[in-house]
Structures are given as structure tokens and as C-alpha cells.
Amino acid sequence: MSRPRTVFVCSECGGTAHAWSGRCPHCRNWNTLVEETRNPVGAAVAPEDARPMSLSEVSIDECDRLATGLPELDRVLGGGASVGSVILLGGEPGIGKSTLILQASMNMAAGGIPVLYASGEESASQVAGRAARIGGAPDGLAILPANRLDTVCGAVESGGYRVLVVDSVQTLHSPDLQSAPGSVSQVRHCASALVNLAKPRGVTAFVVGHVTKDGSLAGPKVLEHLVDTVVYFEGDSSRQYRLLRAVKNRFGGTNELGVFEMGSRGLSGVADASGLFLRRESERVPGSVPAAVLQGSRPFLVEVQALTSPTRFGYPQRRTSGFDTSRLAMLLAVLERRCGVDLDSQDVFVNVAGGFTLGDPGADLAVCLAVASSRLDRTVRKGIAVCGEVGLGGEVRPVAGYGRRFTEAVNLGFSTLAGAREDTEAEKNGAPGFQRLSAAIGELLDEKGEGWL
Ligand code: TYD
Ligand code: MG
């Protein structure tokens, strides 16, 4: 049988070369050649079995779901792993990917689903040791310490497994390619081979991939379009809480958040997580505002912090952690133009406490109030949490799910949840509502006080 042919393809112009060189011979760009395998010309390729058909005659496969035994993971996946899908689990080294996936594997195996755990990263005894620490080794869980793609494929083809775990895709390699394990071409080649392996067999595959802090390492980013679902595990590894979120999901939404706690016996889901990101005892200091945000179906109360400080030289800086920088730039412009808060010569820093990332426009009001609060050196009124979207005209707009946010805020000890005047739900609850951001700043910011509650 003739072997697949290796070619080098330029990622800029698409030109090909037979040997790698630092510069593309066609477009003269540097470092753009990437190795790829091609089937040899004339290789027997099975005819594709496809024909056009009317959309109405297509039978709809109800997608079956596989429960992982970890409700927080199942929720993020959209109600369990969809059978036959390929799920990429990304995250920084040490965050707990192997632990999470091993726990899910153990649960599924204990439920009678045969699982193959291919570990290129750790030895069989290391994995067994971790399994023992987490709670034993169920019968249906097979471990395969292997680095070669063909070994893993062979085991799946002959083993009758329903779930495949590959930990990690960066350690897997195929000798068909010359490049080193972990390089872009190896990672992409192995991942697409895994997709082709799992899909037709109805095997659900979990693929672990490392990313560095800037997300740049060869791996997950180049794989995102190949797989069905991409979930990222994040959070500060020095803190005990870990957050799991989907960034792509062909079988569900992407805005659910899973919260886990790392303990001495592995990860446990935190079902009641709404108050985790709020320090109850925190002092009410200027620049700190409690926000009620919605992440998927769940409300959370988070502390939004802002600090303004006079710019010493050059351009004023705008830095954020857990909040979109361009959204902040927009909100700062609204504060300046519509509310007369002078930020021209101020550096502005915004931080969301506890490693939480705000994706909900309902957090705008809290961010604006936090910045104004720091700049004006006034604290937010006692007992008040806020939610509301802020528009370019300086108006405060109603948010989705006010009722759920309100209930959670009150459960956590706040007396009310301030929002938009037009929010009928807010009105029903007798909460302070504002039409304009300037009015909210005027009424919600106080002189200095001691506690939020
Ligand atoms: P790991 O799953 O190996 O991370 P990754 O695969 O993402 O690199 O987990 C790494 C950390 O988790 C490690 O620092 C040890 C810690 N840990 C616990 O605290 N408790 C446990 O029960 C386990 C298994 C790990
Ligand atoms: Mg690992």
C-alpha cells in the first residue's frame, strides 16, 4: 500500500513545497509552511455515498445523551455528552483537566459504559493512583498508556468501547508526519483522525488539550473547528474553585457555567454557587459594586471593582480582568459624555473578583457605577446590588431574567436589586429603577460606609 504523501502548505498563499523551508517559495512570507499529509494520487478512494434529498424526507436523529455523572459538566455540555460527538477540553496545565475527565470516565464505567482512557501524559500507575485517590477503579475503565495515534485507533477499532478519552492531544503523534509531537500539524492531523475514528462508530470522544495563559500553544485553537464541542476549564489554579464553560457547542448553548471545587478527593460540583464570587465581609469601599449577573440559566452575585488613578505619563491606560476591554472603552465614553464623569486624564482598571468573566450585558451598570464610585470617591448605597445594560445614549436598559437575579440577591442578604426603570419585574418588586445612568450615579452612590449588607 502506498503511504500518504507529505507536503508543506503555506498558510498565507496556499502554495505547496516538497521540503520545509523558512520562507514560502511562492509568496516569500516567512514561517508560513505547515506540514500536511495527502493521499497519494491514484489511491483507491471509496466513492462518496451522498445524494441531494428533500429536507422534509430527512429523518431527524434525536441525539442521545450520555450522562457523565458530573451534573456541572453535563449542564455545560447541554444535558450530557451527545453520543458520537467529539468534545475538546482545554485549559492551562495543572487546572484539573485530567482529574475532571478521569472522574467522568469512572462514573460512566461504573454505569456500565466501557471507557478507554488513552494517556500519553501520565503512566498507567499514575492514573491508577489518581483513580484510587478519587474513589477506586471500576471494571469497565481501560487505561492505555500510549503516544501513537495508530495504537489508540487500533484499540478503539477492536475494543468495543463507547467512550474514548485522549489525554492529551499534544502528546499524541503519528509517524506519518515528520514534525514533532505537539506541533500544529501533528495536533491537527491526530485530531482529525480521532474525529474520523469516533464519528462512524458512535464513540463519544473527550480530547484534552493544553493551552497557555495567552491561549497560543499549538493545540486547542487550531482544533476548535474540527470538533463538535469545546469546553474550557479555567480559574486561578491557586484558588480552589474552577469554572467550566463551553465556547462552542453543536449540541447545546454556550453560556452555561459549571463550578467545581478541587478538594483532596478530586473535583466536586458546586450547585449553590451564586454567592461564591462575593466576599460577604467586604468593606464598602469606593470602586466596588455588587452585580447580579446571569450566566446561562444561573444567577451569580459578583463583585465588580474599579480603580481610577491620575495618568502619570503618556496615554491613559484602560486595563481589565474578567471584562471586555472594548466594552469598557464604550462605557467610559458614556460616563464622560452623558454623565460628566471626567476620566480623560485617569488610568482605569476594572477587575471582577474571584476569576469570574463577565459576558452578560446586565453587568454594564455595575461597571459604570464602580468606575464612577472610584472617581468620585463615593460608595454604593448599603444593601443594594445592581443589574442593567447601559446604552450609548446613557440610558439604562432592562435585562433578561430580572426576577431570578432579584431572588438570588435577596437570598444572599441584599435588600434590593436596582435596575432599569422600564423593567416591569423590577417595578413589581418595588426596586429602585433608573432611566438614565446619571440618575443611578446620583442616587446609588453615597458617602463612605462600612459593609454592603
Ligand atoms: P490535573 O488534573 O493533573 O491537571 P491537568 O490535567 O489540567 O494538568 O490536576 C492538577 C492539580 O489538581 C494538581 O495540582 C493536584 C490537584 N489535585 C487535588 O488537589 N486533588 C485531587 O484529588 C487531585 C486528583 C488533584
Ligand atoms: Mg493532565
Side-chain angles (χ1 to χ4, degrees), residues 282-325:
S282 34
E283 274 187 76
R284 263 193 313 151
V285 289
S288 165
V289 174
V293 296
L294 212 56
Q295 187 75 52
S297 56
R298 271 168 132 186
F300 286 89
L301 274 112
V302 296
E303 178 185 352
V304 177
Q305 302 175 322
L307 183 67
T308 58
S309 117
T311 306
R312 293 272 171 252
F313 57 89
Y315 286 116
Q317 298 191 52
R318 274 83 177 92
R319 295 279 161 85
T320 58
S321 158
F323 191 72
D324 183 37
T325 320

Side-chain angles (χ1 to χ4, degrees), residues 97-98 121-122 130 167 208 210:
K97 299 179 297 298
S98 302
E121 208 135 278
E122 289 157 312
R130 177 179 293 147
D167 187 3
V208 172
H210 295 295

Side-chain angles (χ1 to χ4, degrees), residues 110-453:
I113 295 164
V115 180
L116 177 66
Y117 189 108
S119 171
E121 208 135 278
E122 289 157 312
S123 69
S125 84
Q126 277 172 312
V127 178
R130 177 179 293 147
R133 181 164 158 194
I134 295 169
D139 280 341
L141 178 56
I143 166 98
L144 175 68
N147 285 320
R148 289 262 302 265
L149 177 66
D150 44 341
T151 318
V152 175
C153 292
V156 171
E157 276 159 11
S158 60
Y161 299 104
R162 287 183 51 207
V163 173
L164 166 69
V165 174
V166 176
D167 187 3
S168 67
V169 69
Q170 274 103 355
T171 55
L172 204 61
H173 77 279
S174 161
D176 290 340
L177 297 187
Q178 286 158 11
S179 50
S183 61
V184 177
S185 45
Q186 281 283 3
V187 165
R188 203 167 49 184
H189 174 80
C190 292
S192 67
L194 291 173
V195 171
N196 293 337
L197 176 76
K199 283 248 138 83
R201 292 177 175 78
V203 170
T204 309
F206 292 89
V207 179
V208 172
H210 295 295
V211 285
T212 49
K213 277 225 185 304
D214 57 359
S216 65
L217 193 72
K221 291 287 173 203
V222 301
L223 301 184
E224 283 184 2
H225 68 280
L226 285 178
V227 300
D228 298 305
T229 302
V230 181
V231 292
Y232 277 98
F233 209 24
E234 53 192 35
D236 190 342
S237 55
S238 59
R239 291 207 195 94
Q240 84 218 73
Y241 295 112
R242 307 290 151 85
L243 306 179
L244 186 71
R245 64 175 86 235
V247 298
K248 166 181 175 177
N249 197 350
R250 284 191 186 141
F251 303 101
T254 53
N255 52 5
E256 288 292 347
L257 184 69
V259 184
F260 292 89
E261 186 174 4
M262 182 65 97
S264 59
R265 301 192 62 209
L267 292 156
S268 42
V270 183
D272 183 20
S274 56
L276 280 186
F277 302 93
L278 203 65
R279 291 169 302 131
R280 313 299 299 286
E281 68 287 354
S282 34
E283 274 187 76
R284 263 193 313 151
V285 289
S288 165
V289 174
V293 296
L294 212 56
Q295 187 75 52
S297 56
R298 271 168 132 186
F300 286 89
L301 274 112
V302 296
E303 178 185 352
V304 177
Q305 302 175 322
L307 183 67
T308 58
S309 117
T311 306
R312 293 272 171 252
F313 57 89
Y315 286 116
Q317 298 191 52
R318 274 83 177 92
R319 295 279 161 85
T320 58
S321 158
F323 191 72
D324 183 37
T325 320
S326 45
R327 185 97 191 156
L328 176 68
M330 181 208 109
L331 295 176
L332 295 184
V334 172
L335 279 168
E336 286 219 277
R337 291 287 309 279
R338 310 288 181 200
C339 310
V341 179
D342 172 29
L343 297 162
D344 235 7
S345 52
Q346 300 282 316
D347 292 340
V348 179
F349 304 94
V350 168
N351 175 46
V352 184
F356 198 93
T357 305
L358 292 176
D360 173 5
D364 288 353
L365 183 57
V367 172
C368 290
L369 284 172
V371 172
S373 156
S374 174
R375 183 70 183 104
L376 307 173
D377 203 28
R378 282 154 58 184
T379 51
V380 70
R381 257 167 51 198
K382 207 174 171 68
I384 288 193
V386 303
C387 71
E389 187 178 339
V390 172
L392 285 179
E395 74 279 15
V396 182
R397 300 188 173 172
V399 293
Y402 177 92
R404 268 178 289 161
R405 302 175 201 239
F406 179 88
T407 312
E408 210 53 49
V410 170
N411 279 346
L412 289 168
F414 289 93
S415 50
T416 191
L417 177 63
R421 161 93 40 89
E422 284 87 33
D423 209 319
T424 43
E425 278 187 278
E427 208 177 314
K428 222 169 50 198
N429 287 308
F434 302 94
Q435 212 154 19
R436 319 259 345 138
L437 178 57
S438 50
I441 292 173
E443 285 189 41
L444 294 178
L445 299 183
D446 247 3
E447 297 311 312
K448 286 183 187 166
E450 324 80 65
W452 282 338
L453 305 178

Side-chain angles (χ1 to χ4, degrees), residues 1-7 18 36-46 176-177 189:
M1 196 188 92
S2 47
R3 282 167 60 87
R5 194 164 56 96
T6 296
V7 291
H18 291 291
E36 268 184 12
T37 44
R38 300 248 165 117
N39 282 325
V41 183
V45 177
D176 290 340
L177 297 187
H189 174 80

